[in-house]
Amino acid sequence: MNISGRYMAAGLAVPLLSGAGACGDGKPDKTSPKADADAEKTEKPAPRKPVVEDSEEGSLKIRIPSGNTGKKEAAVRADTENVTVLESGETAEEENNGKLSAKEKAVLQALRTPRPEGSLAARLSSLNSGKVIRWSPQWTDSGTGGVRLPATALSPDKSIILLVETLGDAGGPYGSRLVFLDTHSWTILAVHHLWKKDVRAAAITPSGIPVLISRAQEALKTPDEILLLDPWKGTVSLALTESGAETVTVDGQNRLFVAHRAESEQSGKIAVYTVQDDFSFERQEITSSNTSPAVAFSADGQTVFLSGNKALESFKTSDLRPLETVALPEGFVTESLLVLPDETVIAAPEKRLQMRAAVIRGGHARFFGENSDGILIPLPGSEGKSFGAVMSRKGRIVRFSSSTLQETASVEPEASRPRTIGNPQAVYAFETGATAVLDERGNFYLLYRDSTGKRWRKDILFTSTRK
């Protein structure tokens, strides 16, 4: 099954107007038969036009749809000072690292690599050619304060990191900003906006299509939805209503495995969607003994694993037939899963539990390491002989031996220079030796060893913006 087909070809064929690649209008091209009828009535067709334009100073102006039809509609309020587009100027790398030695600059340059031909980053690179897009997550003082970055996703070819920022007042309604970060140049290729969608989770298919989970909003008359985004236009090409949808995981065949919120009526179900090129779709279900389980796949794609608060369950991906069930430790609730090439499964617990991670192999589960922060990291080039994980204490990023489950290396991100504060929220490792970290305070940086190979340093790409 291939979700791309005419969908992706159409995205490439549309002429790119000035700024069109930087921001989408978020109006679906198509909706499923289940799409919310009220939402369709309130969104009247209008001539397409760019929603972004560059001012003389090069800053990004964003027009928020007002829905001015005589009846006042709920609108998403958003600050835009944290997004700018420059026609020319110094890159963030030159500004942040201008005082480094020649050796250190050479190390940083080695973290930048050419985009592989045919990669998602290469295919998106023409969207804002010749422009420099800068973005920093907006800091909000509501509650205890912080940034609103509910989701990140790494493309299967590892060329794009998608970051989702929530827009709107503290009480809503909410919109979403989608930032596409190139992991080869470490620059932003595009920024799109979905003004009426409260995106809470994301994944990217092998064919390069972002899949988003959007939470229902009564004020905007939108349901819980699964959205397939055109990454070139920044518009929704397919919206599937799925009550209680919480997370989405995509297999090697572009099938969508959707878990549901613990409080929903579907909490023990996994919805499995197969979407065809013409946007027709088939929905199947897996029934789990777990509440809102995490989903992962074997390296060969033949087995899907579910793990939640009861057991690790495995199913045949071809026909979703159940295979095996292994009980989890008492009180364990799974946050994330990692399947090694020999089908050893590593399960990280929810951060709030302050428990150790578990390894499941040979039909048994046992704890290892220190208390986990809920994050597991595949390590490229290790061939499954090692994996990464984040610990609760000081947010340490640790490399573990897969065979012995002993630590073989570690780094405390906060302690490496330049100093930052905040435990990792998302971590991705790359073959260049760089580890990309988004922390809880909105800092995004590359961790790397300096020119001596003895010390860890950070290349800070962006930090949060305070009002």
Side-chain angles (χ1 to χ4, degrees):
M1 198 284 295
N2 187 349
I3 293 181
S4 58
R6 288 178 292 175
Y7 173 88
M8 298 185 73
L12 285 170
V14 173
L16 296 172
L17 302 177
S18 175
C23 183
D25 63 10
K27 295 180 181 178
D29 293 326
K30 287 193 176 185
T31 57
S32 75
K34 299 181 182 180
D36 188 279
D38 291 336
E40 291 182 0
K41 292 177 183 177
T42 61
E43 292 185 10
K44 295 184 177 182
R48 292 187 63 87
K49 58 183 178 180
V51 296
V52 173
E53 62 184 15
D54 299 328
S55 72
E56 292 180 357
E57 295 78 25
S59 63
L60 189 70
K61 293 183 178 180
I62 300 173
R63 303 190 192 123
I64 301 177
S66 62
N68 187 16
T69 60
K71 179 181 178 182
K72 187 174 181 180
E73 297 181 357
V76 176
R77 296 180 54 165
D79 292 317
T80 60
E81 293 91 347
N82 58 329
V83 184
T84 59
V85 174
L86 305 179
E87 294 293 345
S88 62
E90 291 182 322
T91 67
E93 179 186 353
E94 290 169 337
E95 291 177 351
N96 291 340
N97 303 307
K99 296 181 180 180
L100 295 179
S101 68
K103 287 184 178 180
E104 290 302 308
K105 287 184 177 180
V107 172
L108 288 181
Q109 187 57 43
L111 305 181
R112 276 77 177 165
T113 56
R115 300 181 186 107
E117 186 177 352
S119 67
L120 181 56
R123 289 149 56 201
L124 291 173
S125 62
S126 63
L127 281 178
N128 285 282
S129 181
K131 296 182 180 180
V132 177
I133 303 175
R134 294 180 179 175
W135 165 77
S136 297
Q138 183 71 56
W139 184 272
T140 176
D141 292 322
S142 62
T144 58
V147 293
R148 298 183 296 177
L149 299 172
T152 64
L154 179 68
S155 63
D157 66 10
K158 303 190 75 171
S159 71
I160 288 289
I161 295 175
L162 172 62
L163 301 108
V164 179
E165 181 177 23
T166 300
L167 307 175
D169 290 336
Y174 304 113
S176 298
R177 176 176 289 138
L178 310 175
V179 179
F180 291 76
L181 180 65
D182 176 0
T183 65
H184 292 279
S185 66
W186 294 109
T187 59
I188 295 172
L189 296 183
V191 177
H192 296 310
H193 295 85
L194 299 179
W195 294 111
K196 296 186 177 183
K197 306 300 182 183
D198 181 15
V199 176
R200 300 294 187 92
I204 302 177
T205 71
S207 53
I209 303 304
V211 183
L212 313 171
I213 300 296
S214 179
R215 188 73 62 89
Q217 299 190 80
E218 183 176 353
L220 299 177
K221 295 182 173 62
T222 57
D224 291 332
E225 292 176 295
I226 306 164
L227 308 175
L228 271 64
L229 185 83
D230 183 327
W232 291 272
K233 297 178 183 178
T235 55
V236 174
S237 292
L238 182 65
L240 303 168
T241 298
E242 181 67 36
S243 179
E246 181 175 43
T247 62
V248 59
T249 311
V250 184
D251 73 1
Q253 301 301 312
N254 291 312
R255 289 192 300 175
L256 319 179
F257 288 70
V258 179
H260 299 80
R261 296 190 293 274
E263 67 274 16
S264 76
E265 295 181 356
Q266 299 288 319
S267 62
K269 304 286 188 180
I270 297 293
V272 183
Y273 280 91
T274 302
V275 183
Q276 304 296 342
D277 291 349
D278 61 357
F279 296 111
S280 62
F281 61 91
E282 177 187 1
R283 185 187 185 279
Q284 299 171 280
E285 276 190 352
I286 298 176
T287 299
S288 172
S289 64
N290 296 284
T291 297
S292 193
V295 181
F297 305 100
S298 61
D300 62 8
Q302 299 300 307
T303 308
V304 56
F305 294 88
L306 310 181
S307 184
N309 59 338
K310 299 291 185 183
L312 174 72
E313 303 165 305
S314 58
F315 298 80
K316 191 80 171 175
T317 52
S318 58
D319 57 10
L320 307 181
R321 173 171 51 88
L323 297 175
E324 185 181 14
T325 299
V326 179
L328 292 171
E330 185 69 25
F332 194 94
V333 182
T334 309
E335 175 69 25
S336 60
L337 279 181
L338 178 63
V339 184
L340 302 178
D342 65 356
E343 297 200 4
T344 292
V345 178
I346 310 297
E350 291 184 352
K351 179 179 180 177
R352 63 178 178 82
L353 296 174
Q354 291 294 292
M355 296 178 71
R356 296 184 294 163
V359 57
I360 302 99
R361 55 186 167 200
H364 300 282
R366 67 181 180 90
F367 291 120
F368 70 94
E370 297 179 1
N371 285 348
S372 169
D373 221 32
I375 299 173
L376 299 171
I377 312 160
L379 298 181
S382 71
E383 298 179 345
K385 294 179 181 178
S386 59
F387 64 91
V390 179
M391 304 292 101
S392 290
R393 185 172 62 88
K394 297 182 178 180
R396 282 197 315 131
I397 300 175
V398 176
R399 176 188 289 265
F400 285 97
S401 165
S402 300
S403 58
T404 66
L405 299 176
Q406 298 297 309
E407 291 188 18
T408 59
S410 70
V411 57
E412 294 179 11
E414 287 186 341
S416 61
R417 294 183 181 276
R419 295 296 177 88
T420 54
I421 299 174
N423 276 12
Q425 178 177 317
V427 182
Y428 302 106
F430 296 88
E431 291 185 355
T432 58
T435 300
V437 179
L438 172 68
D439 73 23
E440 295 169 334
R441 296 182 67 85
N443 302 302
F444 189 99
Y445 51 84
L446 303 181
L447 272 175
Y448 66 96
R449 291 190 183 274
D450 66 10
S451 57
T452 69
K454 298 178 180 179
R455 292 184 298 271
W456 288 90
R457 287 191 59 88
K458 296 188 187 88
D459 179 16
I460 299 178
L461 301 184
F462 53 77
T463 59
S464 60
T465 300
R466 292 178 182 268
K467 294 181 181 180

